[in-house]
Amino acid sequence: MRCVLLLTLLLVCSPNWAQIKTSDIDRNFGIWLSAQANYKFNKKWTFSIEKQYRLKDSLTSFDRLLIEIEASYNLLKQFELGLGSRYLWLNDDIGELKEFEHHVRFHLYISHKTRIGSLALRNRFKYQQQNEIGKSRLYGDYTSRNYRWKSLIKYEIRNWRLDPEIATEFFYHSQLGQLSGLLGFKYRLMLGTRYRISKNRQIKFRLITEKELQIFNPQRNNFVEVKYSFPFKNRYL
């Protein structure tokens, strides 16, 4: 347990939260608004569907709309496997050709979670790949792949509805036609809490900042996320 705690703390705290260079390209901030329903079919299987709307550029531009479905399986007491698919409407406003694009993304993950006193720890490795619909390689559509590692620490307070959590996620991006190495890395830092409206419903608030790890003109993005979730389960459980 101590090894898991130390590893999670190391991964969460390893990026420098205060590191902001003048060479960063700061696209100001955006907002993510979403609603998610989770259905617990039995003790092993859980299914979810989520719809999310995003704004960017100081809330002046539409970024994307997405719908995601996911299934997760409790492999062991502390391990979970999951896979899902996401359909996206993207606003491509970079470059000469500006248009709305339709993309589809698939992902799978394995996660480990445990508890140490009032701390809830979770580590997750996730693989995802994404393609634009209706466009072939001949027209420049090459599969975009991301390998992601996320570490989260949540502190649960008795008789309190706002449990704080902190998380770090690392991304490695791979796509034909793009340079690899450090140009494919970025990290995301998250600080948030969940407000329990009732036993089965909650709203999650998170402050998110992400930054590319590259030498020339690294891009920094900042977001506020608000998510409403309502789980329900099989009445025969």
Side-chain angles (χ1 to χ4, degrees):
M1 291 295 184
R2 291 183 178 180
C3 293
V4 175
L5 176 60
L6 290 174
L7 176 62
T8 307
L9 283 171
L10 178 63
L11 291 171
V12 167
C13 300
S14 55
N16 187 346
W17 285 72
Q19 183 182 6
I20 300 178
K21 297 182 180 179
T22 56
S23 59
D24 293 355
I25 299 176
D26 194 338
R27 301 199 67 180
N28 296 313
F29 68 93
I31 189 168
W32 301 353
L33 303 173
S34 61
Q36 183 182 56
N38 302 301
Y39 175 63
K40 187 173 183 180
F41 179 71
N42 54 34
K43 293 182 179 181
K44 291 291 186 179
W45 286 98
T46 301
F47 302 91
S48 67
I49 182 169
E50 178 182 355
K51 184 175 183 180
Q52 186 178 94
Y53 181 81
R54 298 184 184 180
L55 295 174
K56 62 181 179 180
D57 298 331
S58 300
L59 311 184
T60 60
S61 302
F62 168 74
D63 182 22
R64 67 191 62 190
L65 176 68
L66 64 91
I67 297 176
E68 180 176 286
I69 57 174
E70 185 178 272
S72 60
Y73 179 77
N74 286 325
L75 183 63
L76 297 171
K77 185 177 181 180
Q78 295 180 328
F79 288 89
E80 181 180 279
L81 296 174
L83 71 157
S85 177
R86 173 181 290 189
Y87 189 92
L88 306 98
W89 292 263
L90 298 179
N91 177 21
D92 181 10
D93 58 357
I94 299 177
E96 295 182 359
L97 182 61
K98 297 177 174 60
E99 60 182 355
F100 286 96
E101 300 176 348
H102 299 263
H103 290 239
V104 63
R105 192 182 90 179
F106 301 97
H107 69 263
L108 56 90
Y109 69 85
I110 181 170
S111 68
H112 172 265
K113 57 184 178 181
T114 188
R115 294 182 59 87
I116 302 177
S118 298
L119 294 178
L121 313 177
R122 187 184 186 212
N123 289 286
R124 183 195 70 188
F125 173 76
K126 185 176 186 179
Y127 166 79
Q128 67 186 46
Q129 66 178 49
Q130 181 172 316
N131 287 91
E132 184 177 354
I133 298 174
K135 184 180 287 188
S136 65
R137 285 193 175 187
L138 183 62
Y139 294 96
D141 178 52
Y142 296 98
T143 301
S144 172
R145 296 179 174 88
N146 277 293
Y147 305 86
R148 305 166 58 169
W149 180 275
K150 181 179 180 181
S151 295
L152 180 143
I153 299 176
K154 179 181 177 182
Y155 182 66
E156 298 183 352
I157 305 173
R158 182 178 297 180
N159 298 324
W160 182 253
R161 292 189 175 186
L162 298 172
D163 294 331
E165 61 184 42
I166 183 174
T168 295
E169 187 166 16
F170 296 90
F171 296 73
Y172 175 70
H173 177 76
S174 174
Q175 188 173 13
L176 186 65
Q178 291 189 350
L179 296 175
S180 57
L182 286 179
L183 295 182
F185 281 102
K186 74 175 180 179
Y187 67 82
R188 181 179 290 170
L189 306 171
M190 293 156 279
L191 177 64
T193 186
R194 303 166 189 257
Y195 178 74
R196 301 168 190 167
I197 301 174
S198 63
K199 183 179 179 180
N200 296 323
R201 287 170 172 78
Q202 65 180 12
I203 297 180
K204 179 169 69 175
F205 303 92
R206 287 199 303 180
L207 301 176
I208 304 170
T209 183
E210 64 179 24
K211 181 185 175 183
E212 296 174 340
L213 297 177
Q214 62 187 50
I215 299 174
F216 302 104
N217 298 324
Q219 181 175 301
R220 176 182 291 272
N221 295 300
N222 303 292
F223 313 101
V224 174
E225 180 185 19
V226 182
K227 176 187 283 190
Y228 173 72
S229 61
F230 45 100
F232 56 99
K233 63 182 181 179
N234 190 331
R235 63 178 181 175
Y236 297 107
L237 288 180

